[in-house]
């Protein structure tokens, strides 16, 4: 599934053309959409829908087929893409991690970063290194001003050169919210340098925020923009006094680096906890250790991108030491992410942010009182001993006795049902082969007796290659109404159609097919998403001490038709990622004590719908989500079922 933000200029209907100029979100499955560049114009066919989120969008368009390109991109964007492509070619001979991370650190190109590595950076609190922000721009501006000074340009002539370099950098990096904020801040600083007036940090930040929000009102709702502004505010307000205090006890450079890392992390913590429901523990230390490698990697990577325009072999020599710097950053990220309790669970949303701020106030009060500090140290020592003891005694992943694992594959579905040592029935594969392969690797699955593809949407079938990688897949079960789209993923495999009432047995695991109730007409390329969802294969899985309803993406109409045949089970895989389209009778009929929602972090669909989560909880189900907990395992125990999240 490909998400593209675009601007619609005209809408064509039978006998009618309407000229518009509005932002829309395109949802496409054809990978040729990825070949488009900013400024290109294209014609498309699709179904317009009302946006479910509060973003400033006029519509969400489900695109049918590839784009019909109307013209080339602008010369400026062609040149920018040439630089990005040359940078990618110059890093081709570096190890996989380095060639994925270096373009991200230099120009924000994350197309080659392994999803597992991106998750490692997130856990370590280093995700900001993979997007272009104020740090990158500061490095570029500093380098350009240094070269200007070396070339003999004075204070008056150097800033205009730096402005041109900044604008060129922004075009190559593309105007993402963090890039825009950093650009305006950098230009304000250069203006202050050019006029000779002392730069005022907070007024400059306020001016940047006001200007950007006036230009693009959607930034007012952008969490990325908010994090960028808060981080800058932390550096301006918190870092200076902390630097002064730390310099009394630490060497100057170490005090400065520690103050900067801590100030930025503290400033963004309330928003991060709202989004993730967890607090990073190791992020300050990880940023402190990674900082010395960021500037060399960025500057040498940028130099390599420019050199690649002239000589690719020379560019490869230039980026080799940049790769070494990136290797250090990657090692820091992996080491920090592996540490026990690198992140700790916390209440998400606004309440979690308020709770974190209250905890910060309590911490300040404790630090100001010697008696309270002694009490806090004693309490923390006791907690540390208990935590270490639990960590040593707790089982690793996967937990022994697991019966079902909902794999964290982003905005999609992938489930594994235990079928013996090293064996599992896999239901759906998610949108990315690497994500589902990683999940099955963690579960040590080497044999897949049955692969079920509930319906032919990309977020359920595009990961098939990841299931087949280094594994034997014996049979595939598909919806009887499918158009055969999954055939391109299942060549060479035995493919069967699921029929209502059909039963499959693998060891002591039994799968019963509940739906779709009738074969009906086969799906066509023009069918809307609801029609395809309602053709999903719906299964009931049973084994001694375990039962689950696996409902694919069936929506309210199909759920109503199936509600009378739904048996009582212990676990329900909530249909369609917890969307609003749910039939209360269908959910209630399952009587499930555990509800699993497979959903992507910060998705554009508003999944899961709060109304669906509230309804499940009112029915007595414990709700578990892959976007918040990662892989989620359901484990059989002597006392019943237990749920163990991987995070």
């Amino acid at each position: 599934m490909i998400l593209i933000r675009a601007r619609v200029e005209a809408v064509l209907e039978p006998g009618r053309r309407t000229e518009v100029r509005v932002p829309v979100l395109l949802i496409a499955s054809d990978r040729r959409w990825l070949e488009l560049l900013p400024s290109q114009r294209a014609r498309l066919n699709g179904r317009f829908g009302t946006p479910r989120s509060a973003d400033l969008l006029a519509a969400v368009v489900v695109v049918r087929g590839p784009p019909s390109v109307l013209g080339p991109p602008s010369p400026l964007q062609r040149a920018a893409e040439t630089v990005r492509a040359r940078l990618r070619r110059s890093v081709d001979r570096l190890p996989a991690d380095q060639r994925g991370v270096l373009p991200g650190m230099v120009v924000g190109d994350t197309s080659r970063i392994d999803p597992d590595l991106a998750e490692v950076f997130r856990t370590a609190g280093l995700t900001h290194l993979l997007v272009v922000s104020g740090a990158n721009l500061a490095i570029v501006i500093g380098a350009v001003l240094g070269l200007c000074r070396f070339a003999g340009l004075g204070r008056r002539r150097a800033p205009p050169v730096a402005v041109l370099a900044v604008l060129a950098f922004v075009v190559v990096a593309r105007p993402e919210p963090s890039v825009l904020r950093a650009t305006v801040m950098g230009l304000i600083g250069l203006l202050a340098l050019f006029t000779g007036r002392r730069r005022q940090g907070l007024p400059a930040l306020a001016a940047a925020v006001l200007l950007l929000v006036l230009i693009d009102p959607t930034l007012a709702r952008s969490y990325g923009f908010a994090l960028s502004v808060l981080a800058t505010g932390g550096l301006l307000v918190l870092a200076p006094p902390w630097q002064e205090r730390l310099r009394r006890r630490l060497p100057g450079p170490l005090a400065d680096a520690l103050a900067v890392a801590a100030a930025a992390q503290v400033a963004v913590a309330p928003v991060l906890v709202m989004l993730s429901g967890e607090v990073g523990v190791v992020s300050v230390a990880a940023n402190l250790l990674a900082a010395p490698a960021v500037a060399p990697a960025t500057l040498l990577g940028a130099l390599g991108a420019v050199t690649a325009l002239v000589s690719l072999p020379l560019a490869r020599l230039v980026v080799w030491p940049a790769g070494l710097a990136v290797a250090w950053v990657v090692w820091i990220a992996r080491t920090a992410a592996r540490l026990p309790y690198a992140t700790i669970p916390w209440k998400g949303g606004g309440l979690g942010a308020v709770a974190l701020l209250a905890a910060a106030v309590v911490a300040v009060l404790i630090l100001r009182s010697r008696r309270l500090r002694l009490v806090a140290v004693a309490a923390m020592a006791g907690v540390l001993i208990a935590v270490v003891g639990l960590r040593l005694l707790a089982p690793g992943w996967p937990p022994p006795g697991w019966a079902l694992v909902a794999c964290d594959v982003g905005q999609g579905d992938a489930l594994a049902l235990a079928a013996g040592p090293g064996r599992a029935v896999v239901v759906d594969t998610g949108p990315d082969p690497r994500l589902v392969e990683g999940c099955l690797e963690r579960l040590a699955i080497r044999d897949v007796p049955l692969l079920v593809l509930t319906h032919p949407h990309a977020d359920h079938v595009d990961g098939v290659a990841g299931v087949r990688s280094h594994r034997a897949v014996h049979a595939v079960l598909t919806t009887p109404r499918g158009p055969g789209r999954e055939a391109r993923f299942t060549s060479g495999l035995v493919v069967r159609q699921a029929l209502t009432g059909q039963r499959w047995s693998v060891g002591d695991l039994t799968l019963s097919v509940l739906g779709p109730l009738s074969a009906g007409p086969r799906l066509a390329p023009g069918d809307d998403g609801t029609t395809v969802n309602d053709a999903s294969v719906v299964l009931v899985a049973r084994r001694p001490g375990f039962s689950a309803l696996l409902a694919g993406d069936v929506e309210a109409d199909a759920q109503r038709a199936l509600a009378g045949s739904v048996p009582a089970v212990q676990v329900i895989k909530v249909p369609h990622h917890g969307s609003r389209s749910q039939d209360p009778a269908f959910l209630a009929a399952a009587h499930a004590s555990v509800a699993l929602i497979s959903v992507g972090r910060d998705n554009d669909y508003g999944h899961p719908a709060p109304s669906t989560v509230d309804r499940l909880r009112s029915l007595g189900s414990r709700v578990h989500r892959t976007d918040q907990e990662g892989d989620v395992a359901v484990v059989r125990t002597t006392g019943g079922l237990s749920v163990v999240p991987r995070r």
Side-chain angles (χ1 to χ4, degrees), residues 271-341:
V271 175
L272 288 178
V273 82
M274 286 177 62
L275 295 174
S276 63
E278 58 189 26
V279 176
V281 177
V282 301
S283 54
V284 172
N287 277 277
L288 191 64
L289 293 171
V294 174
T298 303
L299 289 177
L300 289 171
L303 181 60
V306 175
T307 306
L309 297 174
V310 180
S311 171
L312 193 59
L314 182 58
R316 286 172 174 157
L317 289 176
V318 172
V319 300
W320 178 75
L324 297 180
V326 170
W328 169 255
V329 175
V330 171
W331 182 82
I332 291 297
R334 292 192 184 280
T335 303
R338 282 197 298 265
L339 292 175
Y341 302 99

Side-chain angles (χ1 to χ4, degrees), residues 269-270 272-280 343-360 628:
L272 288 178
V273 82
M274 286 177 62
L275 295 174
S276 63
E278 58 189 26
V279 176
T343 60
I344 57 175
W346 196 272
K347 176 69 177 176
L351 184 59
V354 172
L356 186 63
L357 289 172
Q628 295 180 349

Side-chain angles (χ1 to χ4, degrees), residues 193-218:
L193 179 63
F194 184 74
T195 59
R197 296 179 181 179
R198 184 175 174 225
R199 181 180 180 182
Q200 298 293 327
L202 284 178
L205 177 62
V209 172
L210 181 61
L211 178 61
L212 289 172
V213 172
L214 288 174
I215 294 173
D216 184 4
T218 60

Side-chain angles (χ1 to χ4, degrees), residues 25 177 210 308 379 398 468 523 613 624:
L25 176 68
L210 181 61
R468 299 185 67 175
L523 298 171
V613 174
H624 295 271

Side-chain angles (χ1 to χ4, degrees), residues 565-579:
S565 60
V566 171
V569 293
Q570 296 164 301
V571 180
I572 180 173
K573 199 290 296 183
V574 181
H576 199 201
H577 322 292
S579 74

Side-chain angles (χ1 to χ4, degrees), residues 403-422:
L404 166 67
V405 170
C407 296
D408 180 13
V409 291
Q411 183 65 13
D413 269 14
L415 306 171
L417 292 157

